[in-house]
Amino acid sequence: QKEVEQDPGPLSVPEGAIVSLNCTYSNSAFQYFMWYRQYSRKGPELLMYTYSSGNKEDGRFTAQVDKSSKYISLFIRDSQPSDSATYLCAMSEQQAGTALIFGKGTTLSVSS
Amino acid sequence: GAVVSQHPSRVICKSGTSVKIECRSLDFQATTMFWYRQFPKQSLMLMATSNEGSKATYEQGVEKDKFLINHASLTLSTLTVTSAHPEDSSFYICSARDPAGGISYNEQFFGPGTRLTVL
């Protein structure tokens, strides 16, 4: 079993839809959870960062972490064509320690 | 946010040659840089962690003699793929940690990546 599981999609939605992206993980020591957005042939850019369980909201984006279920989510409200990209979840055990463990990424396409 | 650059953005080489990829932190000093490899439709896989002034730490399964990493300064790390073969063709991405900035000490800023094609 891989440490981080993420459905690669692709996921296609119409403009304005609410998008839900998810990852599950097996390592209970993970404490730091991140969502990155990666456009084609570009490096990832950090979207959301969460420590431990809970919710975090930033504009149209909401990140949720449920450590008891080892499940994290990213919600995108009022999706736009510019949101079309690959979304990668990433996590780590320590704040200043090991490198990130990434999911495979989910490819999202928002049509206008 | 902090900016990380990579050079070249794309390289095509013949099998058996060596290729050097540079990763630079442009507006901060990075004591730690990471090198990842990403195959099509796959996740980023960590290859090695590079600390300024010391030897890189390689992940299990990554050949240290094939993928040479040098982190000679606080703003530059290089990855040299020696005797490249077609199976080394991939997207190589570096990241750098800015200990003085970012939203947390763990935030990594990624470069734009280098696409290597070995013929």
Side-chain angles (χ1 to χ4, degrees), chain B residues 14-32:
Chain B
K14 292 182 178 180
S15 183
T17 61
S18 294
V19 174
K20 179 185 284 189
I21 303 170
E22 291 185 349
C23 176
R24 293 182 185 273
S25 56
L26 297 186
D27 49 3
F28 67 99
Q29 294 184 326
T31 54
T32 304

Side-chain angles (χ1 to χ4, degrees), chain A residues 55-75:
Chain A
N55 295 358
K56 188 171 186 177
E57 187 174 323
D58 183 2
R60 297 185 294 111
F61 299 89
T62 300
Q64 289 185 351
V65 174
D66 182 350
K67 290 189 69 179
S68 63
S69 302
K70 298 190 181 68
Y71 186 88
I72 70 170
S73 301
L74 176 70
F75 297 96

Side-chain angles (χ1 to χ4, degrees), chain A residues 38 41 43 92 95-96 102-103, chain B residues 38 43 103 105-107 111 115:
Chain A
Q38 185 178 23
R41 300 177 185 272
S92 67
Q95 184 179 28
F102 282 88
Chain B
Q38 186 178 33
S43 182
I103 59 173
Y105 188 76
N106 199 38
E107 183 175 3
R115 184 160 301 280

Side-chain angles (χ1 to χ4, degrees), chain A residues 45-61:
Chain A
E45 55 177 334
L46 182 66
L47 267 183
M48 299 287 285
Y49 166 87
T50 311
Y51 168 67
S52 193
S53 286
N55 295 358
K56 188 171 186 177
E57 187 174 323
D58 183 2
R60 297 185 294 111
F61 299 89

